[in-house]
Amino acid sequence: FHVRYKCSPVSFSPWVTYSFTTRPDCGKPGNLLVTAIDTNSATLQWINIATATSYQYLIDNQRAAPANGAGTTTLTTPFISLTSLTEGTWYYIHYRSLCAGNDSSAWQLDSFRTPIPCRRPVLGLSTLTADNSIVFWSPVKTAISYEYFLGSTSTEPVVGTPIKTYSVQTPY
């Protein structure tokens, strides 16, 4: 970098030279890999950036990047184990590299959804008469269909009769 004064239209001071080296690029963290995800936990990792001294992240339910890093967590490895998540919830992760000299990369945005488990139905009985009954259960968000088996044994069957509704009229 060279600077000099202009004292008049024809008079200049001698040049002063200042040299410096720019810092290496504080690259954005690589693609997110979500593993070991279940209804209430997940493991997240991304590619390590050689120039990063640490990483900053925020897990929330908003697409917008955190303002000025508010609410974020800093860690030294590109790896997070999350717990206490809510099933069936869409989460956004905002993450970036932090480098020497208060430099940082742009925010990366990715997302993941915790699954809803396929739970056992809770059965109910209505209209019990000498000839028949109606067995019903609450619909389940993750169910694409149901199966039932009617028999005189308490042993669980291997397969059942497929059905799309969530009630069955049974003969007595």
Side-chain angles (χ1 to χ4, degrees):
F1 185 74
H2 305 277
V3 177
R4 71 178 179 176
Y5 294 131
K6 183 176 184 180
C7 300
S8 72
V10 293
S11 175
F12 295 92
S13 73
W15 286 101
V16 174
T17 302
Y18 183 80
S19 65
F20 59 92
T21 303
T22 59
R23 291 191 174 106
D25 181 40
C26 189
K28 291 193 302 187
N31 294 336
L32 184 71
L33 176 63
V34 181
T35 59
I37 188 166
D38 62 23
T39 58
N40 64 359
S41 64
T43 300
L44 312 177
Q45 67 185 70
W46 53 88
I47 297 171
N48 190 39
I49 301 299
T51 56
T53 57
S54 58
Y55 301 93
Q56 195 173 32
Y57 76 92
L58 175 67
I59 308 286
D60 63 12
N61 305 106
Q62 308 296 318
R63 285 186 59 88
N68 300 323
T72 61
T73 301
T74 301
L75 49 95
T76 57
T77 61
F79 178 87
I80 309 166
S81 289
L82 301 172
T83 58
S84 302
L85 300 176
T86 304
E87 69 181 41
T89 303
W90 201 267
Y91 289 96
Y92 292 96
I93 176 170
H94 313 271
Y95 59 112
R96 68 180 177 179
S97 302
L98 299 178
C99 298
N102 291 326
D103 194 11
S104 64
S105 70
W107 286 105
Q108 287 281 78
L109 174 66
D110 214 321
S111 62
F112 63 95
R113 185 176 187 269
T114 52
I116 299 172
C118 193
R119 294 191 170 92
R120 279 180 190 248
V122 177
L123 301 178
L125 183 67
S126 69
T127 319
L128 180 61
T129 68
D131 297 344
N132 68 45
S133 65
I134 296 177
V135 179
F136 63 91
W137 53 91
S138 296
V140 177
K141 289 181 183 181
T142 56
I144 56 173
S145 67
Y146 305 95
E147 284 185 358
Y148 73 93
F149 177 83
L150 180 62
S152 59
T153 177
S154 63
T155 304
E156 292 182 355
V158 176
V159 295
T161 304
I163 188 172
K164 294 283 186 183
T165 64
Y166 37 92
S167 66
V168 176
Q169 184 172 1
T170 62
Y172 187 70

